[in-house]
Amino acid sequence: MRKDDRLDAGPIRPGEHLGKVPIRVRYAETDAQAVVYHSNYFVYFEVGRTDWMLQTGIPYSAVEERGFGLFIAEGHIRYLKSARYDDELIVETRLTELRTRSCTFHYCIRKDGEEETLVEGWTALVCLGPDGKVTPLPSDLIDAMRATAAL
Amino acid sequence: MRKDDRLDAGPIRPGEHLGKVPIRVRYAETDAQAVVYHSNYFVYFEVGRTDWMLQTGIPYSAVEERGFGLFIAEGHIRYLKSARYDDELIVETRLTELRTRSCTFHYCIRKDGEEETLVEGWTALVCLGPDGKVTPLPSDLIDAMRATAAL
Amino acid sequence: MRKDDRLDAGPIRPGEHLGKVPIRVRYAETDAQAVVYHSNYFVYFEVGRTDWMLQTGIPYSAVEERGFGLFIAEGHIRYLKSARYDDELIVETRLTELRTRSCTFHYCIRKDGEEETLVEGWTALVCLGPDGKVTPLPSDLIDAMRATAAL
Amino acid sequence: MRKDDRLDAGPIRPGEHLGKVPIRVRYAETDAQAVVYHSNYFVYFEVGRTDWMLQTGIPYSAVEERGFGLFIAEGHIRYLKSARYDDELIVETRLTELRTRSCTFHYCIRKDGEEETLVEGWTALVCLGPDGKVTPLPSDLIDAMRATAAL
């Protein structure tokens, strides 16, 4: 997907801004191994991304109201240590790539007050327009995202 | 909600038709108590309901394509015995009430080949039209549902 | 289930203490109707209950560490109005019944800053011991729950 | 993780056996974009893996009963095209690596009767023993997996 992006929204210095959002593990998110079921970390990533977007001043819900959507195109995840019910986690989110039609976020999840990484990963998102086709991100959103990344 | 239904789509003899659909418990559906997390049975109920609707000849996806939607208005559930990972369950579904603007399904979940009920419950659904307001169910859908219930 | 409880933990004045916990709707929790999928409100109820239990000084995770478990035995839910992605909700939780072997919580979900109820319901939970059989709740837990309910 | 595996369970010719399992998209699995929420494909992968393991003659539930567990250590996913409510999908599963303490499965999801890939990915799993430490997979399981891969 990202290879098809011919226009580049210009350089950002990745990871300068680090979003942090707390998550308390819900019972519903655990599985019979008594740990957080692995796919749920992508939901936690989404919580981190939603919060990061909120800090741009253009919440993702506003992007959708304008008929655009960011769809996950690719993702990667590494599980280093388990989280359990009622654990208080921190999701750290960085924008690591910003292109005309796509962007990539990296995430790191750890327990509140601890340094150790439990889970890390990234997701690449592509922008679709009202017609369902790949389209450039709205320019005010690109500006806001670049500004937030540089905070 | 159901009290607001002034028009009645006419009597059906409830429970004459019993839909049955198999479900194999996924790991994702278990929790740290090593049993199916309680809210997931409503998802199983939905699988039963989807299958029941399919037998009317008007799949629920077709209802939505015409701009209508059935929304859950009320539900009740009783948990008698736990299901676990990889259990092969049967969801039995009956239409127990059919009114002009709403309908109610009852469900019974048991292990395949066993009589004992694990979980039982019901959900009442109300029909919303393209404008998001409560509206009569499409008449062909009512006919098809009544015919299926009488099979 | 509750009918089988012969011993009663004694009267509480229900609803004197009201737990409140905020929830921000995640994209993962929505469905193709663009509203919160109905079963997820039981997860929100659980978040309210977890928070209520935390206020007793005996978090539910500690109950499980001692080999006991509270299992949902019955539940009821009414949907009055939809919640959507990114909505900021409040889950209000009350303990409405406390018996020797079971307890019941009532929940009310509304948008932060608004009075209108979106969803309301209750769940009845039964206590199982290390042997998997119905057993009295630990006495210190009953005391803590009664004290919290009376706050 | 896989780099820490010093012992190798020996060569398999990857992908010779292809497991196929059907999945019908549930409403609960969709999101407000009216497509399957991205993390749910990892649940579908798990359904494919469970079915593949079942074909070895040693279902994963039996592995857990013996005190062992396979934990996801790493995963990757690519989304090429969306699936929607009620779509009938096929999950194709291949064992692509089998080592002493870990294994990797690849997955391909497409619509029933169509060639086009909607989603593809892989997950690497590591074996933990009753003590929660990385341990070799049970030898009969390795034999059964290698035999199944060569079918």
Side-chain angles (χ1 to χ4, degrees):
Chain A
M1 175 274 312
R2 287 169 295 160
K3 296 171 194 72
D4 293 338
D5 267 336
R6 264 158 244 123
L7 296 174
D8 193 315
I12 59 159
R13 283 179 291 177
E16 289 174 48
H17 176 67
L18 184 68
K20 294 189 187 191
V21 65
I23 284 185
R24 190 174 202 111
V25 174
R26 302 171 178 176
Y27 215 92
E29 294 159 357
T30 61
D31 66 18
Q33 286 171 330
V35 299
V36 172
Y37 184 74
H38 63 280
S39 77
N40 288 326
Y41 290 100
F42 279 97
V43 179
Y44 296 171
F45 289 174
E46 178 224 297
V47 172
R49 193 168 63 247
T50 287
D51 192 69
W52 195 99
M53 293 290 282
L54 203 60
Q55 294 172 46
T56 65
I58 306 177
Y60 179 66
S61 51
V63 176
E64 289 211 338
E65 278 161 22
R66 288 155 66 182
F68 293 86
L70 293 173
F71 284 71
I72 306 281
E74 194 165 0
H76 192 92
I77 193 161
R78 282 213 312 156
Y79 303 90
L80 304 169
K81 208 174 166 185
S82 298
R84 292 170 181 276
Y85 169 61
D86 223 22
D87 279 350
E88 295 182 286
L89 307 178
I90 299 291
V91 184
E92 294 179 348
T93 306
R94 290 176 193 273
L95 178 70
T96 49
E97 189 182 50
L98 179 59
R99 303 182 70 119
T100 305
R101 306 173 185 198
S102 68
C103 55
T104 301
F105 289 92
H106 274 69
Y107 316 89
C108 174
I109 296 178
R110 49 187 184 74
K111 287 194 192 172
D112 193 12
E114 297 185 13
E115 286 304 307
E116 194 178 16
T117 298
L118 303 184
V119 173
E120 59 187 3
W122 56 263
T123 53
L125 296 94
V126 65
C127 185
L128 299 195
D131 59 357
K133 292 185 181 165
V134 177
T135 190
L137 281 85
S139 61
D140 61 333
L141 182 61
I142 286 192
D143 291 344
M145 288 174 76
R146 190 182 293 118
T148 300
L151 281 182
Chain B
M1 176 271 315
R2 286 169 296 159
K3 295 171 194 71
D4 293 337
D5 268 335
R6 265 159 242 122
L7 297 174
D8 193 315
I12 60 159
R13 282 178 291 176
E16 289 174 49
H17 176 67
L18 184 67
K20 294 189 187 191
V21 65
I23 284 186
R24 190 175 202 110
V25 174
R26 302 171 178 176
Y27 215 92
E29 295 160 357
T30 62
D31 66 18
Q33 286 172 331
V35 299
V36 172
Y37 183 74
H38 63 280
S39 77
N40 288 325
Y41 290 100
F42 279 97
V43 179
Y44 295 172
F45 289 174
E46 178 224 297
V47 172
R49 194 168 62 246
T50 288
D51 192 69
W52 195 98
M53 293 291 282
L54 202 60
Q55 295 172 47
T56 65
I58 305 176
Y60 179 65
S61 51
V63 176
E64 288 211 339
E65 277 161 22
R66 288 155 65 182
F68 294 86
L70 293 173
F71 284 72
I72 307 280
E74 194 166 358
H76 191 92
I77 192 162
R78 282 214 310 156
Y79 303 91
L80 304 169
K81 208 173 166 186
S82 299
R84 292 168 183 276
Y85 168 62
D86 223 23
D87 279 350
E88 295 181 285
L89 307 178
I90 299 291
V91 184
E92 293 179 348
T93 305
R94 289 175 194 273
L95 178 71
T96 50
E97 190 182 49
L98 179 60
R99 302 183 70 120
T100 305
R101 306 173 184 197
S102 68
C103 55
T104 301
F105 290 92
H106 274 68
Y107 315 89
C108 174
I109 295 177
R110 49 187 185 73
K111 287 194 192 174
D112 193 13
E114 298 185 13
E115 287 303 307
E116 194 178 16
T117 297
L118 303 185
V119 173
E120 59 188 3
W122 56 264
T123 53
L125 295 94
V126 64
C127 185
L128 299 194
D131 59 357
K133 293 186 180 164
V134 177
T135 191
L137 280 85
S139 62
D140 61 333
L141 182 61
I142 286 191
D143 291 345
M145 289 174 75
R146 191 183 291 119
T148 300
L151 281 181
Chain C
M1 173 276 310
R2 287 170 296 158
K3 295 171 194 71
D4 293 338
D5 267 337
R6 264 158 243 120
L7 297 174
D8 192 315
I12 60 159
R13 282 180 291 176
E16 289 175 48
H17 176 67
L18 184 67
K20 295 189 187 191
V21 65
I23 284 186
R24 190 174 201 110
V25 174
R26 302 171 179 176
Y27 215 93
E29 294 159 356
T30 62
D31 66 20
Q33 287 171 330
V35 299
V36 171
Y37 183 75
H38 63 281
S39 76
N40 288 326
Y41 290 101
F42 279 98
V43 179
Y44 295 172
F45 289 174
E46 178 224 298
V47 172
R49 193 167 63 245
T50 288
D51 191 70
W52 196 98
M53 292 291 283
L54 203 59
Q55 295 172 47
T56 65
I58 306 178
Y60 179 66
S61 52
V63 176
E64 288 212 338
E65 278 161 21
R66 288 155 65 182
F68 293 86
L70 293 173
F71 285 71
I72 307 282
E74 196 165 358
H76 192 92
I77 191 161
R78 281 212 314 154
Y79 303 90
L80 303 169
K81 208 174 166 185
S82 299
R84 291 170 182 276
Y85 169 62
D86 223 24
D87 279 350
E88 295 182 285
L89 307 178
I90 299 291
V91 184
E92 294 179 346
T93 306
R94 288 175 195 273
L95 178 70
T96 49
E97 188 181 51
L98 179 60
R99 301 183 70 120
T100 304
R101 306 172 185 199
S102 68
C103 55
T104 301
F105 290 91
H106 274 70
Y107 316 90
C108 175
I109 295 177
R110 49 187 186 74
K111 285 195 195 173
D112 193 12
E114 298 185 13
E115 286 304 307
E116 194 179 15
T117 298
L118 303 184
V119 174
E120 60 188 1
W122 55 263
T123 52
L125 296 94
V126 64
C127 185
L128 299 194
D131 59 357
K133 294 186 179 164
V134 177
T135 190
L137 280 84
S139 61
D140 61 333
L141 182 61
I142 286 192
D143 291 345
M145 290 173 74
R146 189 182 293 119
T148 300
L151 280 181
Chain D
M1 173 275 313
R2 286 170 297 158
K3 296 171 193 71
D4 293 338
D5 267 336
R6 265 160 241 121
L7 297 173
D8 193 315
I12 59 159
R13 283 180 292 177
E16 289 174 49
H17 176 68
L18 185 67
K20 294 189 187 191
V21 65
I23 283 186
R24 190 176 202 110
V25 174
R26 302 171 178 176
Y27 215 92
E29 294 159 357
T30 61
D31 66 19
Q33 286 172 330
V35 299
V36 172
Y37 183 73
H38 63 281
S39 77
N40 288 326
Y41 290 99
F42 279 98
V43 179
Y44 295 172
F45 289 174
E46 177 224 297
V47 172
R49 194 167 63 245
T50 287
D51 192 69
W52 196 99
M53 292 291 282
L54 203 60
Q55 294 172 47
T56 65
I58 305 178
Y60 179 66
S61 52
V63 176
E64 287 211 338
E65 278 162 21
R66 288 155 66 182
F68 294 86
L70 293 173
F71 284 71
I72 307 282
E74 195 165 357
H76 192 92
I77 191 160
R78 281 213 311 156
Y79 303 91
L80 304 169
K81 209 174 166 185
S82 298
R84 291 170 182 275
Y85 169 62
D86 223 25
D87 279 349
E88 295 182 285
L89 307 178
I90 299 290
V91 184
E92 294 179 346
T93 305
R94 289 175 194 272
L95 178 70
T96 49
E97 189 181 51
L98 179 60
R99 302 183 69 120
T100 305
R101 306 172 184 196
S102 68
C103 54
T104 301
F105 289 91
H106 274 69
Y107 316 90
C108 175
I109 295 177
R110 48 186 186 74
K111 286 195 194 173
D112 194 12
E114 297 185 13
E115 287 304 307
E116 193 178 17
T117 298
L118 303 184
V119 173
E120 59 188 2
W122 55 264
T123 52
L125 296 95
V126 64
C127 185
L128 299 195
D131 59 357
K133 293 186 181 164
V134 177
T135 190
L137 281 85
S139 61
D140 61 333
L141 182 61
I142 286 192
D143 290 346
M145 290 174 75
R146 190 182 293 118
T148 300
L151 282 180

